[in-house]
Amino acid sequence: MNVQLFQFNVALGNFEKNKNKIAQLFSEELLKTTSIVVLPEMWNNGYDLENLNDKADDNLKLTIKFISNLAKEYNVNIVAGSVSNKKQGEVYNTLVVFNKNGELIYDYDKIHLVPMLDEPKFMAGGQFLPQPFKLTDIDMGGIICYDLRFPESTRQMAVNGAKVIFVVAEWPDSRLYQWRHLNIARAIENAVYVIACNSCGSDGKTTYAGHSMIVDPRGNVIREVGESESTIFAEVDVELVHEIRESIPVFRNRRIDLYS
């Protein structure tokens, strides 16, 4: 399985600019052997929180049209980051996944909202834990940014079969150390690949860390970029997940009888 991450500077509150940026990346950077493309968090409007009530997508209508067409045109699966999405009168931070036929196969509303960014004042938190989904016949999972600090989300997906975890983020550069080490920790403790796509640059309020990375189930960072707009490409060998889980059987050794 070949994965490609697009790390770019998300324009604050400018859906058209961000959409055109993504279209350009697909046109100019996408490799023919890529099977899954990954985008960062909130790519449609960024953290323009005060204006999301007006600017957020409406039940994913614009997102589905745009990403579905890309998936079909380029015959590629897309973990399309997350978008600000309005439904039932509330704005959510929604992760979306499309298969290469352009079908929306999975969506998840971020459950952990960021108090440091006043996210709970402007958005609603999801009410359901993320669940595994299947792409390229492999069980995978996805979380959004701040979710990374809560190991329960990733663990329950790994226990339920996920071998690859995608992390989509707009993680600030002031907490780069935590970004790197939490991604590595989630990979090691769950014996999964962690594929983490962050944004970069500044939106005038926050500077984002970049440093998108791919971590193998041993905790080795096999690909990582810096703080500038970049593309990562890597082959992911899921057989390694099976090998690690057999040699270090953490799931069989869990003491769920003692965990509350």
Side-chain angles (χ1 to χ4, degrees):
M1 181 182 76
N2 295 325
V3 180
Q4 194 168 359
L5 284 63
F6 292 150
Q7 172 178 294
F8 63 94
N9 184 354
V10 175
L12 189 69
N14 194 331
F15 171 66
E16 287 300 319
K17 184 174 182 179
N18 293 318
K19 185 176 77 167
N20 291 338
K21 177 69 175 182
I22 292 169
Q24 179 185 7
L25 287 168
F26 271 80
S27 174
E28 298 178 359
E29 300 290 339
L30 183 65
L31 300 177
K32 291 182 179 180
T33 55
T34 296
S35 49
I36 301 176
V37 172
V38 191
L39 303 177
E41 178 189 19
M42 295 274 277
W43 61 260
N44 59 341
N45 290 296
Y47 267 85
D48 191 12
L49 293 175
E50 295 84 354
N51 299 304
L52 288 186
N53 194 56
D54 296 321
K55 292 185 176 183
D57 201 353
D58 176 16
N59 278 302
L60 298 175
K61 291 176 183 175
L62 295 175
T63 302
I64 290 173
K65 181 179 179 181
F66 174 54
I67 301 296
S68 177
N69 286 338
L70 282 177
K72 289 184 288 187
E73 179 181 355
Y74 292 97
N75 192 37
V76 68
N77 304 289
I78 307 174
V79 177
S82 72
V83 294
S84 50
N85 177 44
K86 193 171 184 179
K87 55 184 179 180
Q88 299 171 337
E90 299 277 9
V91 177
Y92 294 86
N93 185 343
T94 305
L95 181 149
V96 287
V97 179
F98 292 76
N99 66 21
K100 62 184 180 181
N101 298 319
E103 298 165 329
L104 175 65
I105 64 162
Y106 179 76
D107 64 271
Y108 154 70
D109 297 326
K110 184 179 181 183
I111 59 176
H112 301 105
L113 300 181
V114 187
M116 300 83 77
L117 294 177
D118 290 332
E119 204 174 21
K121 292 182 180 179
F122 301 99
M123 307 184 81
Q127 296 302 310
F128 301 97
L129 287 170
Q131 300 296 324
F133 56 86
K134 194 177 290 287
L135 276 181
T136 65
D137 292 325
I138 298 169
D139 291 316
M140 306 180 180
I143 58 174
I144 304 172
C145 203
Y146 192 48
D147 288 337
L148 184 61
R149 291 182 178 271
F150 300 86
E152 298 89 347
S153 295
T154 303
R155 172 49 59 92
Q156 68 89 23
M157 286 188 286
V159 167
N160 288 319
K163 300 172 180 64
V164 177
I165 301 294
F166 295 94
V167 183
V168 301
E170 281 207 279
W171 195 283
D173 69 344
S174 59
R175 291 184 278 276
L176 172 59
Y177 181 91
Q178 292 96 323
W179 164 256
R180 296 192 75 256
H181 289 78
L182 286 170
N183 279 311
I184 293 168
R186 296 294 88 82
I188 294 170
E189 69 195 5
N190 295 294
V192 294
Y193 277 93
V194 169
I195 298 173
C197 186
N198 197 19
S199 62
C200 63
S202 174
D203 61 10
K205 300 188 295 185
T206 304
T207 300
Y208 298 98
H211 284 267
S212 297
M213 62 178 64
I214 297 174
V215 188
D216 77 14
R218 297 189 183 100
N220 297 316
V221 179
I222 59 175
R223 293 287 187 278
E224 182 178 4
V225 292
E227 68 279 359
S228 302
E229 293 191 338
S230 307
T231 296
I232 294 180
F233 176 84
E235 182 178 356
V236 171
D237 179 12
V238 178
E239 285 303 312
L240 182 59
V241 173
H242 299 293
E243 293 175 18
I244 298 300
R245 289 182 179 180
E246 284 300 312
S247 62
I248 308 173
V250 292
F251 294 124
R252 292 200 297 270
N253 296 151
R254 293 171 70 231
R255 289 294 307 273
I256 58 175
D257 57 314
L258 299 179
Y259 305 153
S260 60

